[in-house]
Amino acid sequence: TTADVTDITPIYQFCKKLIDTYENLQTIPYDKVLNWVRTKIETNIHEYQCIWLNGQKVGYYHFFQNGEKMELDNFYIFPEFQKQGIGTQVLQKCIEESQRPIFLYVFQRNTGAVALYQRLGFRIVENIENSRYIMLRE
């Protein structure tokens, strides 16, 4: 289902947790980054999808056209539902639905996510400030 305004705060909190966990906080304008993230979510909330399993919300993602490619953004499975294949299923669905190349940003230190994307055919195409990768599946 499509996300709504009640999902803004949980999505924002997930993004903040990823930034706090994986970003090099000394090298970014932290408050500015968080404000940008919050605005991006609020502006696009009706493009986000909720991920459901057995009637329970288990995560979110934003999959949209960005230029000639599709972008996967803010892809998050709640911690208690990770490592159960849910993320793989969502990614496979996105891949099947798109005839376009798909790209995403991922924190380099989020090794579980990087490994998941690589298993599904994404490759690292850019290293951003030794903090994030851009990964692409063509």
Side-chain angles (χ1 to χ4, degrees):
T1 60
T2 303
D4 62 36
V5 293
T6 65
D7 296 300
I8 291 171
T9 296
I11 295 169
Y12 171 78
Q13 288 171 338
F14 132 71
C15 291
K16 182 181 183 304
K17 179 181 175 188
L18 285 179
I19 291 166
D20 291 346
T21 303
Y22 296 115
E23 183 59 272
N24 183 349
L25 300 179
Q26 291 73 41
T27 63
I28 64 167
Y30 185 73
D31 291 338
K32 186 176 178 183
V33 168
L34 291 182
N35 285 335
W36 178 83
V37 166
R38 180 87 190 196
T39 301
K40 179 181 70 161
I41 296 165
E42 289 172 349
T43 304
N44 299 295
I45 190 61
H46 296 295
E47 296 176 10
Y48 282 73
Q49 296 298 311
C50 300
I51 303 166
W52 296 86
L53 179 69
N54 300 326
Q56 188 171 8
K57 192 180 294 181
V58 299
Y60 300 100
Y61 68 100
H62 184 201
F63 188 58
F64 63 101
Q65 188 170 333
N66 184 340
E68 295 298 310
K69 299 180 181 90
M70 297 297 289
E71 180 174 353
L72 180 64
D73 188 30
N74 294 151
F75 179 38
Y76 182 59
I77 306 296
F78 301 155
E80 61 270 29
F81 296 100
Q82 292 175 3
K83 301 192 184 343
Q84 297 179 28
I86 299 166
T88 299
Q89 289 179 342
V90 171
L91 277 166
Q92 287 172 329
K93 177 178 175 270
C94 291
I95 290 165
E96 289 167 14
E97 287 178 0
S98 177
Q99 304 305 309
R100 298 173 183 269
I102 301 169
F103 76 98
L104 53 85
Y105 292 81
V106 61
F107 287 108
Q108 293 177 11
R109 290 173 30 205
N110 190 350
T111 54
V114 172
L116 169 64
Y117 299 136
Q118 287 176 323
R119 270 197 319 275
L120 291 172
F122 287 81
R123 61 187 173 85
I124 296 166
V125 293
E126 192 172 333
N127 178 338
I128 302 172
E129 298 175 10
N130 290 317
S131 161
R132 287 160 284 146
Y133 294 132
I134 296 176
M135 297 185 75
L136 176 68
R137 186 183 194 281
E138 296 179 279

